[in-house]
Amino acid sequence: MGVLEVDHVNRRLQDNNGQEINVLDDINFTVNPGEFVAIIGPSGCGKTTLLRLISGLDQPEDGQVTIDGDRITKPDYSRGYVFQHGSLFPWETIEENISVGLKVTKGHNYDKELVKHYIDLMGLTGFENSYPHQVSGGMAQRAALARSIIMKPEILLLDEPMGALDAFTRADIQNVIYRVWEQTHTTMILVTHDIDEAVYLSNRIVVMTPRPGRIKEIVENPLPHPRSRVSEEFAAFRHEIQEKLNFGLEDVQEASR
Amino acid sequence: MLMSVQQTSQKKAAKAARDASKYWKKWHLTWNVLSLVAVAAAYFENKLVASQEMVDNKTYYWFLAVYFAYLLIVTVIGQFTNGRLHNYNGHFAQLNISLGVVLIIQDLLTEKFAVLEQPFFVSFAQILDQMRENAALLWASTLSSLGLWVVSFIVGTLLGVVLGLGMGRYRQFNYWAFPYLKVIGIIPAAAWMPLTMVIFPTSYMAEVFLIAFSVWFPVAFMTIGGVQGISKEYFESAKTLGFSEWQIVRKIVIPGALPSIFTGVYTAMGLSFTMLVISEMIGAKVGLGWFINWAKGTGNYTQVYAAIVIMAILFSVLFALFTKVQDYFLRWREKRN
Ligand SMILES: Nc1ncnc2c1ncn2[C@@H]1O[C@H](COP(=O)(O)OP(=O)(O)OP(=O)(O)O)[C@@H](O)[C@H]1O
Ligand SMILES: [Mg+2]
């Protein structure tokens, strides 16, 4: 259950001058349950656009996105979405933010123990009653993760959730995500600019190129778990991905010439 | 457990820091002593300088005595403690001195040398004496005004918030309602006065209408802006977390628009006070507005001043309450000192 198929999807949008642009062009891939897929590519290649189609926030012009053959037509809490800046609700405390999805779907008899569990797991104990502006960026991002994960989604969509964080906090949250994935086997789709992050976390890496947004290649990650960020294999695979991305950049330069 | 203790002490520290920046004038015993001297001087000035006018100054002396006692107590406590009272009175000591000086000047100008003459200008002592004499009627008028204001203000605010939320959130409703409401809302409430007097069966209803009318528009207008200013990401997060439309309204739209709603309510409060007094002057047989009009009719301007002083106190208290309510509901916002 929970096989995601992105089936020959096109997305066309109007730019500021009313010109139609192909943001996504014939995107086609399948994600099996429990996989960890990273999507990587230069800015503007349509990563966010693709993730929004999978979540159901937007609809493609052509093709379709399906789960177990059922077309996705609107957002649902079975597909969690973590935004780049977390977008915690500033008027709710950390605890209220984390429990809000349970509250609105299960009513007030939701599992309070579960909330406590995730607060502990994310290292947020002691900050339950703080408001988002009172905690650090890393904590806010962990709370945003908890808010989606607690809904036990089939698929968790992560749109550069660590993009705005410093290297230490970033590594810390990568480990949190890894642990959650290991324990729950939730399907994860992670958009990132950071090659190390993709190599460290994913089973497969989708490399995209811009204008129009296309999949250049899907690369299997050969590294066994647990992974080390400093091993030679890591560096070698990292290098391989880097090269594929540089090709992408050359394409851009040609296109803009 | 340990964490919660830590949090409480953190909160205390944050509060102390906010106090320190709010009450920024430092404690100096000299200023506090001078404030005592100023109030004492006001007493002796009134007692010793010969009066041009016949005034019963007993209530004024009571007022000065209570004021003096208050200053004495806070000066002593402030000198030997280091808490809120210390900061608060350290900050306001100079203002207290100025109040003593103002009391002396107004007394000299009116009662003592009659530079500003009766009946149009009266001393503070006369106003206080009038308030004592007419206490029952003034109290009843105050309660009546307050009651009328509370009812009308709630009606107007609720109407404004509901319409504003509707127009801010739903395009169809906005399309149909906004142009009409914009034209209607721009009309000053006072312009409706002659009509309301004949249309409504009771003058009370007419007054409620007028005051509520002055309130709903600024509230609705600011509510629309508040809703439209909410970041799209909050709505999208809500959808991916399983919110229904009603839950989006309750948990995203309302709290997100709340800062702006409070701005609208703040504006509306000032307008509503104006409308309260005007409508009472025209229609009512009770209330502070009526009291002023009645006193004017009998030529007793001291009573007019008494009502004005009470309004100043009443409306200040209402504004202070508003600020407290606002601070509570917007406690999630970053405090900017
Ligand atoms: N609503 C929209 N209307 C018009 N154009 C859009 C819209 N959203 C995205 N685009 C365009 O589509 C392209 C892809 O945008 P998208 O946000 O998906 O890129 P991205 O790969 O996520 O980039 P980044 O890494 O910078 O987040 C961009 O050129 C962008 O200008
Ligand atoms: Mg993006």
Side-chain angles (χ1 to χ4, degrees):
Chain A
M1 45 141 262
V3 180
L4 172 77
E5 268 185 271
V6 180
D7 181 11
H8 297 285
V9 158
N10 290 338
R11 178 89 172 126
R12 288 185 293 271
L13 287 164
Q14 310 263 314
D15 69 7
N16 289 335
N17 308 321
Q19 289 270 321
E20 194 160 88
I21 42 170
N22 270 4
V23 176
L24 293 177
D25 185 56
D26 197 32
I27 302 292
N28 199 38
F29 66 100
T30 304
V31 180
N32 289 312
E35 266 198 282
F36 200 131
V37 174
I39 301 177
I40 196 162
S43 185
C45 69
K47 305 182 294 294
T48 300
T49 310
L50 177 57
L51 221 54
R52 290 175 62 89
L53 294 179
I54 297 172
S55 80
L57 285 166
D58 295 326
Q59 294 297 315
E61 271 69 30
D62 303 304
Q64 58 177 358
V65 184
T66 60
I67 290 204
D68 296 330
D70 296 328
R71 188 178 185 142
I72 294 169
T73 54
K74 60 173 178 21
D76 188 272
Y77 62 84
S78 63
R79 291 182 304 279
Y81 197 117
V82 181
F83 291 84
Q84 176 160 7
H85 295 285
S87 68
L88 289 176
F89 304 131
W91 43 82
E92 295 195 331
T93 63
I94 295 299
E95 183 173 5
E96 286 166 346
N97 262 293
I98 292 174
S99 59
V100 72
L102 293 179
K103 221 179 277 171
V104 299
T105 54
K106 310 245 162 22
H108 281 275
N109 298 322
Y110 67 91
D111 188 350
K112 280 151 189 115
E113 282 304 308
L114 195 65
V115 176
K116 217 181 132 10
H117 170 75
Y118 276 103
I119 287 172
D120 284 346
L121 182 75
M122 295 294 175
L124 292 167
T125 313
F127 293 90
E128 293 92 338
N129 299 321
S130 301
Y131 286 96
H133 81 262
Q134 295 168 317
V135 302
S136 69
M139 282 181 175
Q141 208 50 285
R142 274 181 284 170
L145 273 171
R147 182 174 74 167
S148 291
I149 294 166
I150 203 169
M151 301 304 289
K152 302 210 158 54
E154 282 180 351
I155 302 177
L156 189 60
L157 306 166
L158 304 155
D159 192 355
E160 296 185 52
M162 291 149 272
L165 303 173
D166 63 87
F168 296 107
T169 320
R170 185 186 279 248
D172 164 49
I173 295 186
Q174 283 167 2
N175 290 335
V176 170
I177 291 176
Y178 180 76
R179 219 179 316 142
V180 169
W181 177 68
E182 213 180 20
Q183 287 171 8
T184 62
H185 301 291
T186 308
T187 311
M188 301 264 185
I189 302 181
L190 169 71
V191 164
T192 179
H193 275 132
D194 181 348
I195 301 172
D196 282 32
E197 188 169 290
V199 171
Y200 183 64
L201 289 170
S202 68
N203 303 136
R204 280 198 294 161
I205 299 176
V206 177
V207 180
M208 290 183 70
T209 53
R211 271 160 277 195
R214 283 203 184 111
I215 295 181
K216 179 185 163 58
E217 199 174 343
I218 300 180
V219 190
E220 293 286 335
N221 188 336
L223 302 177
H225 291 286
R227 289 173 184 163
S228 154
R229 286 188 176 88
V230 290
S231 70
E232 260 169 49
E233 296 82 11
F234 190 96
F237 186 54
R238 188 197 184 291
H239 190 75
E240 192 186 327
I241 300 294
Q242 177 87 62
E243 288 197 324
K244 291 184 199 301
L245 277 167
N246 285 344
F247 275 120
L249 278 177
E250 276 160 27
D251 288 350
V252 179
Q253 281 154 5
E254 251 162 57
S256 61
R257 229 173 259 150
Chain B
M1 193 53 211
L2 189 71
M3 280 297 200
S4 79
V5 171
Q6 195 180 322
Q7 261 197 341
T8 342
S9 72
Q10 255 175 21
K11 264 189 195 151
K12 261 196 188 145
K15 206 174 161 76
R18 238 177 297 140
D19 271 3
S21 68
K22 191 164 151 200
Y23 307 127
W24 51 272
K25 286 216 176 203
K26 290 264 173 298
W27 170 275
H28 283 297
L29 187 59
T30 327
W31 294 126
N32 282 273
V33 171
L34 276 178
S35 71
L36 283 165
V37 171
V39 174
Y43 170 76
F44 288 112
E45 170 272 319
N46 182 282
K47 194 94 187 155
L48 299 178
V49 180
S51 213
Q52 305 272 329
E53 293 168 356
M54 280 289 296
V55 182
D56 183 353
N57 280 315
K58 250 196 247 89
T59 320
Y60 185 50
Y61 294 155
W62 270 111
F63 167 81
L64 290 176
V66 171
Y67 190 20
F68 188 85
Y70 162 78
L71 288 177
L72 187 61
I73 291 167
V74 297
T75 301
V76 171
I77 295 177
Q79 178 65 16
F80 295 108
T81 64
N82 207 0
R84 261 203 106 173
L85 213 65
H86 173 89
N87 296 334
Y88 183 84
N89 290 289
H91 184 72
F92 284 114
Q94 295 175 29
L95 217 53
N96 281 318
I97 299 171
S98 79
L99 190 56
V101 174
V102 167
L103 284 172
I104 293 172
I105 293 172
Q106 63 83 32
D107 193 55
L108 290 173
L109 286 178
T110 54
E111 240 179 90
K112 300 309 179 218
F113 297 115
V115 179
L116 301 171
E117 277 180 288
Q118 282 188 334
F120 301 123
F121 295 101
V122 299
S123 67
F124 188 56
Q126 282 166 282
I127 299 171
L128 283 178
D129 190 49
Q130 186 61 243
M131 283 164 83
R132 182 192 55 77
E133 208 171 279
N134 258 321
L137 185 55
L138 278 167
W139 182 241
S141 300
T142 306
L143 287 184
S144 158
S145 287
L146 183 62
L148 172 64
W149 179 81
V150 168
V151 170
S152 321
F153 193 74
I154 290 175
V155 170
T157 302
L158 284 181
L159 193 69
V161 169
V162 169
L163 287 174
L165 291 176
M167 287 188 285
R169 175 89 182 130
Y170 304 107
R171 272 198 313 191
Q172 278 291 337
F173 184 61
N174 188 306
Y175 175 86
W176 292 108
F178 187 64
Y180 290 107
L181 291 179
K182 193 168 60 178
V183 171
I184 295 169
I186 212 77
I187 304 166
W192 293 105
M193 207 145 20
L195 285 172
T196 55
M197 295 297 155
V198 288
I199 290 171
F200 286 96
T202 67
S203 66
Y204 183 78
M205 284 169 73
E207 287 164 35
V208 171
F209 172 85
L210 288 170
I211 299 164
F213 194 94
S214 71
V215 169
W216 78 269
F217 186 61
V219 175
F221 207 75
M222 289 307 291
T223 306
I224 296 175
V227 174
Q228 290 174 345
I230 301 170
S231 159
K232 203 174 87 206
E233 275 198 0
Y234 298 139
F235 291 109
E236 294 184 338
S237 311
K239 282 188 200 148
T240 63
L241 288 167
F243 283 52
S244 65
E245 171 60 22
W246 166 238
Q247 285 161 337
I248 286 180
V249 170
R250 208 160 50 90
K251 287 179 170 289
I252 310 293
V253 176
I254 293 178
L258 212 52
S260 186
I261 292 176
F262 272 111
T263 311
V265 172
Y266 181 81
T267 315
M269 260 181 113
L271 294 171
S272 73
F273 293 151
T274 310
M275 220 41 236
L276 172 71
V277 177
I278 295 179
S279 66
E280 279 183 341
M281 280 181 170
I282 309 295
K285 297 279 170 291
V286 285
L288 289 169
W290 164 82
F291 185 92
I292 286 181
N293 223 23
W294 170 75
K296 186 194 84 184
T298 62
N300 189 337
Y301 289 96
T302 316
Q303 287 181 336
V304 175
Y305 280 113
I308 288 175
V309 169
I310 289 176
M311 277 181 197
I313 297 167
L314 178 65
F315 296 158
S316 300
V317 169
L318 291 175
F319 261 121
L321 272 177
F322 167 84
T323 310
K324 284 261 177 265
V325 172
Q326 173 176 260
D327 284 352
Y328 176 76
F329 279 104
L330 300 185
R331 64 191 179 283
W332 50 270
R333 286 210 303 187
E334 216 159 333
K335 300 269 185 315
R336 280 181 290 267
N337 290 327

